[in-house]
């Protein structure tokens, strides 16, 4: 064969090979594309199936609830007088409306009227309450005081002093959010222009209870930051061990644990009316800066470039504090912050109780800095650290 013909034959062979390789590549790509399409279709069908199952379960649950309510009607009236035997020691009479003030509590459900016939009774027909009589009477006294208050808002100084025995009873009845509601305060310095009450705070935010145990905090002035702390003043409320903050879409700020005194005076919290305050580490503090997507500890940045975007979606952050780890002074605790879709960050810090120049204790308190609106829920209190006896449930002057 002539050299020219050999070259042409070789070129044809190479062209055929290249064409065949291209066909195989297109075929492989097609198969891959079909596999992805099949997988997506499978996942879509699976999702629809699960959604259908969920809807059927919800419909079945709704039917069961309606059937239950039909078979157990709430026949109790607000003016019914309930005869109670508390602990086998104290017999009292109380209006049903007094016991059912907090509709989402177990106490309200118990005395709704649905269960009157099935509740335990003594030989005289009184409903038996298996609780400590002193603790239960403190609760009844508070509920009656609240019924007499038209605004239904009792000052912190007139709430029962939290003790372990009293608060464990409240937990059983799901009454903690009612007796000790969220108490976020604006830590501005005393207002010197108010001669009559120089300690009165200048509030720059509003509070609204949108559900039992859930409040919405909103800035009064657009584009201005507000810093609030949850105090522990004079043992009128238990200390907070856990809380969850959900920043509305477009709301920016910071949240976490801040070292300040019970009133937020003479500390960095007073200056924390600008987000730049929380753009650097603060002693004995742990907080998340939503704008910078950084989590600051007392000695530096603990995490950064966290997965969140407050411009396009809500941001949910949970803050936790452990019980005391030792009896040393100051005691050490484990503090943590968990941002949705991110890893939980935990550090150990002393939770001191030194004294400020105002005479109040300085400790690590829950803190929120925001411009816009945030929703706060899931408060859990340090009940295990409360005294069992002492000034048990007495009202503080």
């Amino acid at each position: 064969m002539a050299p020219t013909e050999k070259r042409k034959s070789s070129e044809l062979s190479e062209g055929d090979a290249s064409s065949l390789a291209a066909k195989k590549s297109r075929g492989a790509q097609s198969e891959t594309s079909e596999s992805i399409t099949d997988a997506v279709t499978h996942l879509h069908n699976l999702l629809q199936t699960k959604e259908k199952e969920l809807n059927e379960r919800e419909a079945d649950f709704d039917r069961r609830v309606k059937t239950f309510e039909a078979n157990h009607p709430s026949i109790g009236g607000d003016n019914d007088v309930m005869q109670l035997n508390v602990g086998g020691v104290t017999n009292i009479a109380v209006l049903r409306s007094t016991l059912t003030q907090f509709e989402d509590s177990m106490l309200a459900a118990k005395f709704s009227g649905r269960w009157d016939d099935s509740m335990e009774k003594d030989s005289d027909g009184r409903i038996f309450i298996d609780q400590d009589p002193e603790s239960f009477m403190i609760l009844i006294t508070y509920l009656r005081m609240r019924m007499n208050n038209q605004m239904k808002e009792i000052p912190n100084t007139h709430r029962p002093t939290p003790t372990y025995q009293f608060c464990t009873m409240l937990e059983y009845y799901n009454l903690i959010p009612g007796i000790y509601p969220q108490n976020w305060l604006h830590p501005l310095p005393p207002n010197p222009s108010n001669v009559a009450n120089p300690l009165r705070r200048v509030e720059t935010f509003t509070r609204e209870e949108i559900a039992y145990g859930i409040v919405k905090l909103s800035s009064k002035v657009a584009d201005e930051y507000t810093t609030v702390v949850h105090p522990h003043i004079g043992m009128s409320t238990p200390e907070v061990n856990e809380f969850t903050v959900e920043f509305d879409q477009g709301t920016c700020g910071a949240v976490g644990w801040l070292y300040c005194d019970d009133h937020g005076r003479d500390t960095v919290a007073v200056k924390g009316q600008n987000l730049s305050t929380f753009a650097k580490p603060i002693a004995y503090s742990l907080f998340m800066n939503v704008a910078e997507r950084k989590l600051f500890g007392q000695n530096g940045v603990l995490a950064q470039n966290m997965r969140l975007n407050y411009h396009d979606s809500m941001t949910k952050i949970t803050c936790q504090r452990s019980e005391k780890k030792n009896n040393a002074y100051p005691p050490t605790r484990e503090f943590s912050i968990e941002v949705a879709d991110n890893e939980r960050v935990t550090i150990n810090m002393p939770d001191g109780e030194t004294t400020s120049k105002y005479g109040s204790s300085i400790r690590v308190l829950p803190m929120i800095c925001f411009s816009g609106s945030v929703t706060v829920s899931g408060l859990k209190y340090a009940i295990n650290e409360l005294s069992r006896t002492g000034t048990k449930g007495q009202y503080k002057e």
Side-chain angles (χ1 to χ4, degrees):
M1 183 182 293
T4 304
E5 292 177 350
K6 286 183 178 181
R7 284 196 300 271
K8 288 183 179 180
S9 176
S10 175
E11 290 173 358
L12 288 174
S13 298
E14 291 175 359
D16 291 342
S18 176
S19 177
L20 182 60
K23 287 180 180 180
K24 287 182 177 181
S25 176
R26 286 195 296 269
Q29 291 177 356
S30 177
E31 290 177 2
T32 302
S33 178
E34 289 176 0
S35 298
I36 294 174
T37 302
D38 291 342
V40 171
T41 302
H42 174 71
L43 290 174
H44 178 70
N45 293 336
L46 182 62
L47 180 61
Q48 285 188 323
T49 301
K50 294 296 183 182
E51 186 177 6
K52 182 180 179 182
E53 291 177 359
L54 181 60
N55 291 335
E56 290 175 351
R57 289 183 181 181
E58 289 180 348
D60 180 63
F61 177 76
D62 291 339
R63 284 193 297 270
R64 289 173 181 268
V65 169
K66 290 179 181 179
T67 301
F68 175 83
E69 291 177 345
N71 295 334
H72 301 81
S74 179
I75 58 177
D78 286 346
N79 294 324
D80 293 345
V81 178
M82 311 302 295
Q83 301 291 337
L84 308 180
N85 174 346
V86 184
V89 176
T90 304
N91 297 328
I92 61 170
V94 59
L95 289 175
R96 188 188 299 276
S97 57
T98 300
L99 298 169
T100 58
Q101 291 180 63
F102 299 106
E103 296 180 0
D104 293 321
S105 69
M106 198 183 94
L107 186 69
K110 183 180 180 72
F111 289 98
S112 64
R114 291 194 177 104
W115 313 104
D116 287 3
D117 293 337
S118 61
M119 284 196 286
E120 298 86 353
K121 298 179 177 64
D122 64 12
S123 58
D124 295 322
R126 297 185 184 90
I127 296 174
F128 180 71
I129 303 296
D130 192 18
Q131 296 290 347
D132 172 65
E134 184 180 351
S135 295
F136 196 80
M137 286 308 301
I138 291 170
L139 172 61
I140 295 299
T141 300
Y142 176 81
L143 292 176
R144 285 171 170 166
M145 181 169 60
R146 189 175 183 274
M147 285 293 289
N148 294 332
N149 188 314
Q150 293 182 351
M151 299 298 293
K152 305 299 182 186
E153 293 183 4
I154 307 299
N156 286 331
T157 52
H158 294 287
R159 298 184 191 278
T161 299
T163 63
Y164 178 78
Q165 186 163 311
F166 183 66
C167 287
T168 50
M169 181 188 70
L170 295 185
E171 272 200 318
Y172 175 76
Y173 288 123
N174 189 25
L175 281 170
I176 291 283
I179 308 303
Y180 302 113
Q182 295 190 38
N183 186 34
W184 298 96
L185 294 177
H186 185 44
L188 276 177
N191 183 3
S193 63
N194 190 334
V195 179
N197 185 7
L199 290 178
R200 184 177 179 181
R201 300 170 189 273
V202 180
E203 301 289 8
T204 60
F205 70 101
T206 60
R207 284 178 292 254
E208 179 188 3
E209 186 173 26
I210 58 177
Y212 189 57
I214 302 175
V215 301
K216 194 173 193 68
L217 309 177
S218 302
S219 305
K220 284 185 177 180
V221 181
D223 300 325
E224 286 191 9
Y225 283 93
T226 293
T227 300
V228 295
V229 294
H230 199 283
H232 174 60
I233 303 173
M235 284 297 289
S236 57
T237 58
E239 291 190 82
V240 174
N241 267 355
E242 181 176 338
F243 64 104
T244 297
V245 178
E246 193 165 10
F247 288 77
D248 285 3
Q249 181 178 342
T251 295
C252 190
V255 60
W257 302 96
L258 183 68
Y259 186 62
C260 63
D261 81 357
D262 279 339
H263 302 271
R265 298 175 303 202
D266 195 31
T267 64
V268 69
V270 175
K271 304 174 184 177
Q273 310 314 313
N274 192 300
L275 191 57
S276 61
T277 303
F278 304 104
K280 55 184 179 296
I282 298 174
Y284 306 119
S285 301
L286 173 68
F287 52 88
M288 174 72 199
N289 186 310
V290 175
E292 296 194 4
R293 298 185 299 150
K294 291 181 180 179
L295 203 154
F296 291 91
Q298 58 178 338
N299 297 318
V301 177
L302 301 179
Q304 56 187 333
N305 298 323
M306 303 186 78
R307 294 186 298 274
L308 58 91
N309 186 344
Y310 73 92
H311 292 290
D312 300 330
S313 61
M314 294 183 292
T315 305
K316 188 174 183 179
I317 301 173
T318 298
C319 304
Q320 294 178 319
R321 185 193 73 162
S322 71
E323 296 180 5
K324 293 179 182 178
K325 286 196 163 190
N326 52 50
N327 294 322
Y329 185 83
T332 300
R333 297 182 189 271
E334 186 178 84
F335 293 86
S336 68
I337 293 181
E338 184 175 3
V339 184
D341 300 326
N342 291 269
E343 292 185 3
R344 178 184 177 193
V345 177
T346 302
I347 64 171
N348 290 319
M349 293 193 305
D351 187 7
E353 297 182 357
T354 56
T355 303
S356 74
K357 68 180 182 181
Y358 294 97
S360 57
S361 296
I362 297 180
R363 66 187 76 225
V364 181
L365 296 179
M367 175 278 299
I368 310 171
C369 174
F370 62 97
S371 175
S373 295
V374 297
T375 301
V376 192
S377 61
L379 264 70
K380 294 182 181 178
Y381 294 101
I383 292 176
N384 289 339
E385 296 180 17
L386 295 173
S387 171
R388 185 179 180 276
T389 57
T391 57
K392 177 181 175 181
Q394 297 301 310
Y395 296 108
K396 297 186 73 66
E397 297 297 332

